[in-house]
Amino acid sequence: MKRALVISGGGSKGAFAGGVAQHLLETVKAPYDFFVGTSTGSLLVSHLALGKVEAIHQAFTRVTQEQIFDSNPFYVYQRKGIDKVKMHHWNILKNFLRGRKTFGDSGGLRRLLTREITYPMFEELQQHAADVIVSVSNLSLNRNEFKTLKECTYMDFIDWIWISCNYVPFMSLVVKNKHEYADGGFGCVVAIEEAIRRGATEIDAVVLNTSYQQTNRLRSRNAFDLLTSTFEFMADQIESQNIQIGRLKAHEKNCQLRLFHTPRVLTMNSLVFNQSKMQQWWQEGYAHAQLQTNKKPSEEGLI
């Protein structure tokens, strides 16, 4: 019997997943054999595998746009207390003049990863019983790939986590092993099927969206709105398919699947990292997991 924790993509909403995971690890004390992360999920799984919940809580909920981007393709402003986003045309132009293929450059995120996931921590993970797996999209070969920590060097694993989070065209397009790579969510938002393929018989999956459609997007006001709405629409469709296929595979393999959705729409722009909101979402995730795990099995959505 193997147990897996799967965390979907979702940008800044990953703070909610952190809260869910904290409850599952520290209160329920679920013994996971492997952790699978896509995009923002990949930022969490290394620390979670080692039980370093407070460390990732502090790091994740305090991250800023400035730490992530060397060249930020948008800027955030507030109107009537609501975060608004516009494209930063000058930064985008400078990025193109430097010969880059994307609007922004997320080199800062990679440097941040080397500070938060140190080499001693990597060595500890390699000796650890639980494995850590991250999802990336190979654009050159038109396929999704899953990278296992135990099969990587330290620098390769840092690269794969970074790549898994690179939401092009806003973040860096990475060439590795002569292939172009981008955000793992372009091919697989929530990797339930992959966890089953690796032998999981019990899966807890954190999905950073509501369980039913609650979003009625307003008309796009600018190019940035249009791009984000388009990508979010496609991600929603991929996520829905991932869950449907995951449910079917779980039924075929007699695998117990428990889904943790957000109880409400957290944000309309997950590329905005608002520290106070992420702190709040972390606490919401913890409280929601506590509520869900106290329900009877028939109420939890177990398969």
Side-chain angles (χ1 to χ4, degrees), residues 106-175:
S106 58
L109 176 59
R110 193 189 184 287
R111 293 191 297 275
L112 180 62
L113 286 170
T114 59
R115 293 196 295 272
E116 296 298 335
I117 304 175
T118 62
Y119 186 72
M121 181 177 167
F122 173 78
E123 288 187 311
E124 186 179 356
L125 278 165
Q126 284 201 315
Q127 301 301 317
H128 199 268
D131 203 358
V132 175
I133 300 134
V134 300
S135 167
V136 296
S137 296
N138 187 326
L139 303 183
S140 300
L141 297 181
N142 196 35
R143 70 187 187 193
N144 206 239
E145 297 176 358
F146 294 89
K147 305 300 182 180
T148 303
L149 176 139
K150 294 186 185 300
E151 298 175 356
C152 293
T153 64
Y154 172 66
M155 297 309 292
D156 280 343
F157 192 63
I158 294 294
D159 279 344
W160 294 130
I161 296 174
W162 178 47
I163 288 167
S164 184
C165 301
N166 272 336
Y167 196 57
V168 298
F170 307 106
M171 301 173 78
S172 299
L173 177 70
V174 180
V175 176

Side-chain angles (χ1 to χ4, degrees), residues 32-301:
Y32 296 109
D33 295 285
F34 49 95
F35 296 73
V36 188
T38 297
S39 195
T40 194
S42 72
L43 297 175
L44 297 165
V45 288
S46 296
H47 284 78
L48 296 177
L50 292 177
K52 297 180 182 293
V53 177
E54 185 55 31
I56 192 60
H57 178 202
Q58 294 298 320
F60 197 97
T61 57
R62 292 180 180 178
V63 71
T64 64
Q65 313 289 141
E66 291 74 22
Q67 290 175 306
I68 293 171
F69 291 98
D70 285 345
S71 178
N72 196 335
F74 57 89
Y75 62 90
V76 181
Y77 65 100
Q78 284 203 336
R79 179 178 294 171
K80 297 180 180 179
I82 299 174
D83 288 328
K84 301 287 185 179
V85 180
K86 283 188 177 181
M87 299 187 80
H88 198 309
H89 295 96
W90 176 235
N91 279 359
I92 292 171
L93 177 60
K94 287 192 294 184
N95 220 44
F96 287 152
L97 290 174
R98 293 179 184 130
R100 307 286 169 75
K101 298 177 182 179
T102 54
F103 299 155
D105 183 339
S106 58
L109 176 59
R110 193 189 184 287
R111 293 191 297 275
L112 180 62
L113 286 170
T114 59
R115 293 196 295 272
E116 296 298 335
I117 304 175
T118 62
Y119 186 72
M121 181 177 167
F122 173 78
E123 288 187 311
E124 186 179 356
L125 278 165
Q126 284 201 315
Q127 301 301 317
H128 199 268
D131 203 358
V132 175
I133 300 134
V134 300
S135 167
V136 296
S137 296
N138 187 326
L139 303 183
S140 300
L141 297 181
N142 196 35
R143 70 187 187 193
N144 206 239
E145 297 176 358
F146 294 89
K147 305 300 182 180
T148 303
L149 176 139
K150 294 186 185 300
E151 298 175 356
C152 293
T153 64
Y154 172 66
M155 297 309 292
D156 280 343
F157 192 63
I158 294 294
D159 279 344
W160 294 130
I161 296 174
W162 178 47
I163 288 167
S164 184
C165 301
N166 272 336
Y167 196 57
V168 298
F170 307 106
M171 301 173 78
S172 299
L173 177 70
V174 180
V175 176
K176 189 172 178 66
N177 301 330
K178 300 182 180 180
H179 295 157
E180 290 184 334
Y181 282 95
D183 193 300
F186 289 137
C188 177
V189 177
V190 51
I192 299 168
E193 185 180 7
E194 178 65 15
I196 294 171
R197 191 186 71 80
R198 290 175 180 267
T201 53
E202 293 183 28
I203 300 173
D204 287 332
V206 186
V207 183
L208 295 172
N209 271 319
T210 55
S211 58
Y212 54 93
Q213 180 65 34
Q214 289 187 348
T215 304
N216 185 13
R217 293 189 177 91
L218 300 175
R219 292 174 64 180
S220 302
R221 295 161 301 172
N222 51 52
F224 185 87
D225 276 357
L226 177 59
L227 277 171
T228 54
S229 293
T230 301
F231 279 111
E232 285 171 5
F233 173 82
M234 291 189 291
D236 286 348
Q237 305 313 305
I238 295 168
E239 178 187 286
S240 177
Q241 292 176 9
N242 290 163
I243 293 172
Q244 290 177 31
I245 293 170
R247 287 184 183 275
L248 288 172
K249 293 289 185 181
H251 182 71
E252 288 176 6
K253 301 291 185 180
N254 195 28
C255 174
Q256 193 176 62
L257 172 63
R258 180 165 54 177
L259 300 173
F260 294 87
H261 289 271
T262 63
R264 65 181 181 89
V265 176
L266 299 179
T267 179
M268 293 299 293
N269 195 328
S270 58
L271 289 177
V272 176
F273 289 78
N274 183 305
Q275 294 185 22
S276 62
K277 287 183 179 179
M278 289 191 294
Q279 287 280 1
Q280 177 188 340
W281 297 341
W282 190 288
Q283 296 306 317
E284 283 189 47
Y286 187 94
H288 183 67
Q290 190 173 38
L291 178 66
Q292 291 298 104
T293 53
N294 286 335
K295 288 182 178 180
K296 295 177 182 179
S298 60
E299 298 175 307
E300 288 180 321

